[in-house]
Amino acid sequence: MIVALLYLVLAGAYLLVIPIAVLLYLKQRWYVASSIERVFMYFLVFFFFPGLLVLSPFANFRPQRRQVQV
C-alpha cells in the first residue's frame, strides 16, 4: 500500500506540481533569460514534457496587450 501511494505522489509531482512550477518560471523569465539559462529552460521543457503537455491547454503565453496612447 505504501509503495502504491509513493508511486501516486511521485506521478502527481511529475505530471502536475513540477510542470506548474516550470510554467511559472518560464512565464517569468522567457524574455530576459541569458543563453545558459535558456538552455536550462529547454532542458526543463524536455524533461517534464508529459506534464507540460497535460497543462498546455490551460497555459497562456501570449504577450499582454499594449496600451496605445493618443
Side-chain angles (χ1 to χ4, degrees), residues 46-64:
F46 175 74
F47 195 74
F48 295 107
F49 181 75
L52 292 173
L53 196 62
V54 168
L55 296 174
S56 64
F58 308 107
N60 181 7
F61 282 115
R62 290 179 286 182
Q64 297 295 325

Side-chain angles (χ1 to χ4, degrees), residues 11-36:
Y14 181 72
L15 290 176
L16 291 176
V17 177
I18 297 173
I20 288 173
V22 169
L23 282 175
L24 293 174
Y25 172 70
L26 291 176
K27 189 171 179 113
Q28 184 79 23
R29 298 289 302 165
W30 186 258
Y31 294 107
V32 294
S34 66
S35 60
I36 294 174

Side-chain angles (χ1 to χ4, degrees), residues 38-52:
R38 195 164 300 273
V39 169
F40 178 66
M41 289 173 161
Y42 292 149
F43 167 75
L44 288 176
V45 169
F46 175 74
F47 195 74
F48 295 107
F49 181 75
L52 292 173

Side-chain angles (χ1 to χ4, degrees), residues 4-14 17:
L5 184 64
L6 181 63
Y7 271 108
L8 188 65
V9 168
L10 288 175
Y14 181 72
V17 177

